[in-house]
Amino acid sequence: VAAYPITPQTDVVQEFAEYVAQGSVKAQFVTVESEHSAMSACIGSSSAGARTMTATSSAGFALMWEMLYVAASMRCPIVMTTVNRALSGPINIHCDHSDSMGGRDSGWIQIYNEDAQEAYDATIMGFPIAEHADVRLPVMNMYDGFIISGAIGPLQPLSDDEVRAFLGAAPGYPSLLDADNPMTFGPFDGLHGFYYEHKVNQQRAMERALDVIQGVYDRFASVTGRQYSHLMTYLMEDAEIAMIVANSAAGNARIVADQLRAEGVKAGVIKLRTFRPFPAAEYAKALAGVKAVGVMDRADSLGGVGGPLYMEVLSALYQHDVRVKTANFIYGLGGRDLFPQDVEQGFRVLQAAAEGAEMPEEVAFFVAKNVRSNVRELEGALRKILAYSRFNQKEISIALAKEALRDLL
């Protein structure tokens, strides 16, 4: 493991460094001066045949940008945890998906996780995916910074023996240190080289990875009972409207779908899991029967037709000749809170479209009120309530309190 600490990833490498220092794990922890160096060290380690991991976030992810492409093109089966955090500017340390979504075309397999349990499981599954002979690509798995990384929640870990049995021995690939069988790693490949063929091979590996990933998901389920798939569906069997979400927002979406179902609205939810490679055919199949679909992106693709996930879904639907009304909702940039009523607002747009209304042409933004402005408004409302209560106008003060809470919450 080679890593450089950055909020909110720091706990990951800090805790692992303690495991190494205490002798709890059989590993080498390499401290480096930057994330660029961390990925460079990982590439060397992986090329030498060691199972290699790292972790990063935000600006650290951006700093290792160059080396992400090198790791993928050298077909290094590195596993990297990415704790999602916004890219500056303005400077921001809170959650959105601009970091990992920005690296979506670097050649890494990408898996998105709703909670700590999913992130833990994805880390274990990362090596059998990355090391598979039909794949041989690095894997990054994501979970939301602070929202999940800073929260305490349930986790069912596997025993060391269970993990070892699931992973098996590392496959024997050509090693940088095998002096008896010398090979060139990462050479210059000029105009008359094979750069083009390298990229074609990477793409073919991505295409083969879909079946390999699902196979690993299924094998993991046989061990743990926790079944994963490329997209996780909820109430989609007869859904007429659907919302596609990623990571921690999935819980809010499911809650709202349940509420709408109670009203008789056939709402469903699809949670992103495998993003690279993108399972286009599966999305097209899952959405073939709906009348309107919304895609929630926690990152924007500035100047594009929508967020990264929206553009992938749109392409998948068009490619497979599925005609359905679509809308894109950008939310949570820079850690802005997402409330169930925000998700409901999006569902209501889809409901209206399913009943014949036109979809909004522009990308919609879920802009919940800034917490600081909420506090100021609440302070003003409470002062007004206090003024009335001093004159014993209890009924007026209670009415004002209800109104203030309704507006703010």
Side-chain angles (χ1 to χ4, degrees):
V1 174
Y4 187 87
I6 181 171
T7 301
Q9 159 265 38
T10 303
D11 286 348
V12 175
V13 294
Q14 180 176 313
E15 291 292 331
F16 188 80
E18 289 185 9
Y19 294 155
V20 174
Q22 295 165 1
S24 302
V25 294
K26 189 177 179 180
Q28 294 290 326
F29 186 85
V30 182
T31 55
V32 291
E33 73 276 12
S34 74
E35 286 83 2
H36 187 283
S37 298
M39 185 51 63
S40 298
C42 286
I43 291 169
S45 169
S46 181
S47 298
R51 275 181 166 157
T52 305
M53 302 180 71
T54 188
T56 193
S57 290
S58 183
F61 186 96
L63 186 55
M64 63 170 64
W65 197 272
E66 174 192 10
M67 304 315 294
L68 293 175
Y69 286 79
V70 174
S73 67
M74 288 181 63
R75 311 295 288 273
C76 297
I78 300 165
V79 175
M80 177 168 70
T81 293
T82 302
V83 187
N84 286 122
R85 169 187 149 184
L87 288 169
S88 299
I91 295 172
N92 187 291
I93 65 167
H94 297 288
C95 175
D96 68 31
H97 300 159
S98 55
D99 48 6
S100 59
M101 282 296 178
R104 63 191 182 275
D105 295 332
S106 60
W108 287 61
I109 290 168
Q110 288 196 342
I111 297 172
Y112 285 78
N113 303 283
E114 180 178 352
D115 53 31
Q117 184 70 66
E118 290 192 7
Y120 171 86
D121 293 349
T123 302
I124 295 171
M125 289 186 281
F127 280 114
I129 294 169
E131 294 172 345
H132 196 283
D134 289 339
V135 179
R136 186 72 175 175
L137 291 171
V139 174
M140 68 174 79
N141 67 86
M142 276 61 65
Y143 62 98
D144 286 349
F146 293 103
I147 300 167
I148 299 301
S149 71
I152 297 175
L155 181 72
Q156 296 178 338
L158 301 180
S159 69
D160 291 350
D161 289 340
E162 287 175 317
V163 174
R164 291 190 190 99
F166 183 79
L167 295 183
Y173 285 108
S175 169
L176 184 66
L177 302 181
D178 186 358
D180 294 329
N181 297 284
M183 296 185 69
T184 301
F185 288 76
F188 173 73
D189 193 347
L191 180 61
H192 303 294
F194 294 92
Y195 181 93
Y196 194 109
E197 286 76 9
H198 275 290
K199 295 305 161 187
V200 171
N201 287 337
Q202 284 179 255
Q203 175 60 27
R204 296 292 178 257
M206 275 287 186
E207 293 167 359
R208 294 191 296 269
L210 277 174
D211 288 339
V212 172
I213 294 168
Q214 189 58 60
V216 173
Y217 287 165
D218 294 343
R219 187 161 65 88
F220 190 79
S222 70
V223 175
T224 66
R226 296 190 287 273
Q227 179 67 62
Y228 296 107
S229 57
H230 295 310
L231 51 153
M232 310 288 282
T233 60
Y234 183 73
L235 302 177
M236 284 298 298
E237 293 78 10
D238 63 341
E240 294 182 350
I241 59 174
M243 191 71 78
I244 301 175
V245 298
N247 286 22
S248 61
N252 277 342
R254 289 193 296 268
I255 289 171
V256 174
D258 288 338
Q259 293 170 346
L260 293 174
R261 285 279 176 167
E263 298 177 12
V265 179
K266 293 182 178 180
V269 175
I270 296 177
K271 181 177 70 175
L272 169 73
R273 184 156 179 80
T274 308
F275 184 68
R276 282 289 183 270
F278 191 75
E282 293 192 29
Y283 274 91
K285 181 180 179 180
L287 296 170
V290 305
K291 297 178 180 178
V293 57
V295 182
M296 292 173 55
D297 271 288
R298 199 162 196 152
D300 201 357
S301 183
L302 303 177
V305 299
L309 180 56
Y310 178 70
M311 288 192 284
E312 295 289 347
V313 172
L314 211 59
S315 296
L317 295 175
Y318 183 83
Q319 184 180 19
H320 292 85
D321 200 28
V322 176
R323 297 293 177 260
V324 58
K325 294 180 178 179
T326 62
N328 190 201
F329 304 102
I330 306 294
Y331 75 99
L333 302 183
R336 184 63 57 88
D337 287 328
L338 176 76
F339 297 100
Q341 56 264 38
D342 299 320
V343 183
E344 182 184 357
Q345 175 188 344
F347 266 117
R348 295 301 182 189
V349 171
L350 303 182
Q351 182 183 3
E355 295 171 354
E358 292 295 320
M359 280 286 202
E361 293 185 6
E362 295 183 348
V363 175
F365 287 83
F366 288 158
V367 186
K369 289 185 178 180
N370 182 284
V371 173
R372 183 174 295 175
S373 65
N374 274 8
V375 170
R376 287 173 178 167
E377 291 179 32
L378 183 59
E379 180 183 8
L382 290 174
R383 289 184 183 279
K384 191 182 293 185
I385 293 166
L386 183 61
Y388 278 108
S389 64
R390 284 174 178 166
F391 290 100
N392 295 320
Q393 299 188 42
K394 185 177 179 181
E395 292 78 8
I396 297 176
S397 62
I398 291 174
L400 283 170
K402 289 181 178 178
E403 182 180 349
L405 290 172
R406 184 179 66 248
D407 291 343
L408 292 170
L409 302 178

